[in-house]
Amino acid sequence: MSMQNLLVELFVEELPPKALKKLGESFSTVLAASLKAQGLASDQSAVTSFASPRRLAVHVTQVAAKAADRSVQQKLMPVAVALDASGNATPALLKKLAALGADASAVPNLKRAPDGKAEALFLDSMVAGATLAEGLQKALDESLAKLPIPKLMTYQLSDGWSDVKFVRPAHGLVALHGSEVIAISALGLTAGRHTTGHRFEASVSPIVLSDADSYANQLAEQGAVIAGFDARRAEIVRQLQAAAAPLGLTPIEDEALLDEVTALVERPNVLLCQFEPEFLGVPQECLILTMKANQKYFPLLDAKGKLTHQFLIVSNISPADASAVVQGNERVVRPRLSDAKFFFDQDRKKTLESRVPGLDKVVYHGKLGTQGERSERVRQIAHAIVNQLRMATVPYTAEAKDEFEVLDAKAQQAARLAKTDLLTDMVGEFPELQGIMGGYYARHEGLRDGVAIAIEDHYKPRFAGDALPRNHTGTVVALADKLETLVGLFGIGQLPTGDKDPFALRRHALGVIRILVEKNLPLDLAALVESALPAFGELIANPAEALLIFMQDRLAVTLRDQGYSAQEVDAVLALAPQRLGDVPRRLEAVRAFAALPEAASLAAANKRVSNILKKVEGELPSAVDADRLLEAAEQQLNAALAQIRPQADSLFEQHDYEASLRALAALKDPVDAFFDGVMVNAEDPALRANRLGLLKNLHEAMNRVADLSRLAA
């Protein structure tokens, strides 16, 4: 069987840059998987994906010219239907065999085998393996059908009559098995060995590919194209760093921008440009965003992370004299920066406070009112959060009282002004700057210390790994803003479904979780949700139960992503702890407890106790009658509990969860002895109730940090 390496390339007009990476990965993955499924390639076949602005390609090693024949066993029908009373084939069986290309001579070789409650007949046959031309055609069709195309376009083929729908017009198809062309077709094209290089810098056009393995080298040498997406990206990174290093500067890090630029060029050439330093008076976030979003440039930062007036561009051409390219890009960026400066200057002519009434004209949600109403709800929730923090502060001194009054005033002011930058020209042009520009404008107005930072930070964390709010005021307003969104949208039934989350509620929930956990705030999650409800009045239904379940689910996912086991997470969250700042300490305590030699036995006993108590009907006694403890084992367990529980409870109240669980480990021997020597379900009702009460006390003592029964194997 002839084994050769395979290359397939589809040459097209410029593909959507933001989709190119996924298109390339999908094209190669699906095509190779189909070949493997048909037996034309194996799991040992290496798959290399290529994707450039004008091509999708894949290279697969060890591809067979023809798949091996394979035996197939096919169910025909139940024996009772296939054979008559004499064991002869019925007309139904003969008809079935004829449809499969067999006749009555195959009947003696049919196999009988159980099929559910009856027996059935099965036909063993050999199926010829697919030829590469057949299998590759199927694989290519499947690959094109499954491409994650953002939007189809319709175009005419050269015959002037036929229409084709694809992401972009296709102009060439290559299919090489070794050096042999495979006869396949797609999108009105027939496969050959010719491809096209760089629009302007290819030394040969068309390029005649000698074999599958020469593809990347021939494109690079004759076509001036780096075909591999990752290779082209790495070359851009190398050139960016090489251009910035002599200046002592650093290109801005932006993975999405790198991917997009990689999808725009076939052979990158990084060039240094600059703009007038006067523009640096504009907030650097504005300049950086306009250069990245509109021009796909790489701003350069100094050692302190400050923007400089120099930037890097990635050109798709490499002229001997690049001055015209540099000057052209400098000329293009200047009006963009001028616009940003104009917006910044104009916005500062109005105060944030003067923009507050305008929020009443901006619809937030059809069922939740305007941005003005939303801001008022955030203000009320922020006030409620400060009150909860105040009540959790012990001792509550006169100094603490003054600090909370200041915090309350700052938080309410920041909440009132936080959304006003939505009405500015700068945020209207660049929505990504909301919050950031509000902070700049607040500082320009000289607002009280911390308010400007809170306005800037109230969206944080915006994404996984983002920084948290930097001060107490920002923390309160960020929590209030996220709670307003979660409570409001859950209250009108706008819950996430599957992979659809149009209001980013999972992100908002994760933000609340991170703030509560990482800042270790003394706030109860359920109380927080309840405190947000009055701000909505009769506008929404009470979503507390559904929202808390949603938050617990997000917390569980987050903790597992951080490396905690499903058992550890389940044990801690089974108690639905409301102070999320405690959760990491509880998890570490559970992990340490699980490593103790007594852990397995205690977890198993705890599970047994849980199962016993679940079956009990009615109330159990809260106190154990020592006079009714007849067996030595139950007396010893009661005595051990009386000695150990106060110590464990004291450590628990001090939040020393690991020490609390370690103290409880001393109960292993009396617990084991109890279950070995005591009949819990005694015939005497009073005796039985007393023993169940003892188990209830044991269960309560052992399950304050986590539900240890969840650790049982």
Side-chain angles (χ1 to χ4, degrees), residues 434-650:
Q434 55 190 281
I436 294 171
M437 295 314 302
Y440 274 107
Y441 298 142
R443 278 188 286 273
H444 170 72
E445 294 172 26
L447 293 183
R448 68 170 71 194
D449 182 45
V451 172
I453 290 176
I455 292 173
E456 181 178 342
D457 286 1
H458 84 280
Y459 289 107
K460 292 181 179 179
R462 296 171 185 253
F463 50 85
D466 190 20
L468 298 182
R470 290 166 285 176
N471 62 17
H472 295 314
T473 309
T475 298
V476 169
V477 180
L479 271 177
D481 183 67
K482 290 168 178 55
L483 282 169
E484 191 279 336
T485 301
L486 288 163
V487 171
L489 290 165
F490 263 73
I492 60 172
Q494 295 280 359
L495 282 64
T497 57
D499 59 350
K500 294 182 179 179
D501 188 7
F503 298 101
L505 297 185
R506 292 186 179 93
R507 177 167 56 80
H508 282 88
L510 182 58
V512 171
I513 289 167
R514 281 194 58 201
I515 291 172
L516 293 176
V517 171
E518 295 177 32
K519 289 186 174 288
N520 193 22
L521 297 178
L523 296 171
D524 287 2
L525 183 59
L528 271 178
V529 172
E530 289 294 334
S531 71
L533 292 175
F536 290 88
E538 301 298 320
L539 198 60
I540 63 171
N542 189 334
E545 183 178 354
L547 179 53
L548 288 172
I549 292 172
F550 177 74
M551 298 282 284
Q552 289 284 342
D553 288 345
R554 298 315 303 162
L555 176 60
V557 171
T558 301
L559 294 172
R560 290 195 292 269
D561 288 344
Q562 292 173 4
Y564 294 105
S565 72
Q567 271 189 322
E568 291 166 346
V569 172
D570 190 30
V572 171
L573 297 191
L575 303 185
Q578 294 303 307
R579 293 206 173 182
L580 302 192
D582 278 351
V583 168
R585 291 198 296 273
R586 289 176 185 245
L587 282 164
E588 291 302 326
V590 167
R591 180 169 286 180
F593 172 78
L596 297 175
E598 302 91 344
S601 177
L602 282 172
N606 198 46
K607 187 172 183 179
R608 185 174 179 181
V609 171
S610 297
N611 291 335
I612 291 172
L613 295 179
K614 283 178 186 176
K615 298 175 182 177
V616 175
E617 296 180 1
E619 290 291 323
L620 290 173
S622 55
V624 175
D625 184 351
D627 293 337
R628 291 186 181 277
L629 299 174
L630 305 181
E631 304 290 343
E634 58 184 327
Q635 294 170 359
Q636 291 167 5
L637 176 58
N638 189 54
L641 260 179
Q643 178 184 357
I644 294 169
R645 184 170 183 176
Q647 177 190 1
D649 285 350
S650 175

Side-chain angles (χ1 to χ4, degrees), residues 324-341:
V325 178
V326 170
Q327 291 167 11
N329 281 277
E330 291 175 345
R331 186 169 59 251
V332 167
V333 79
R334 194 170 295 116
R336 294 288 188 179
L337 302 182
S338 297
D339 287 346
K341 185 176 186 305

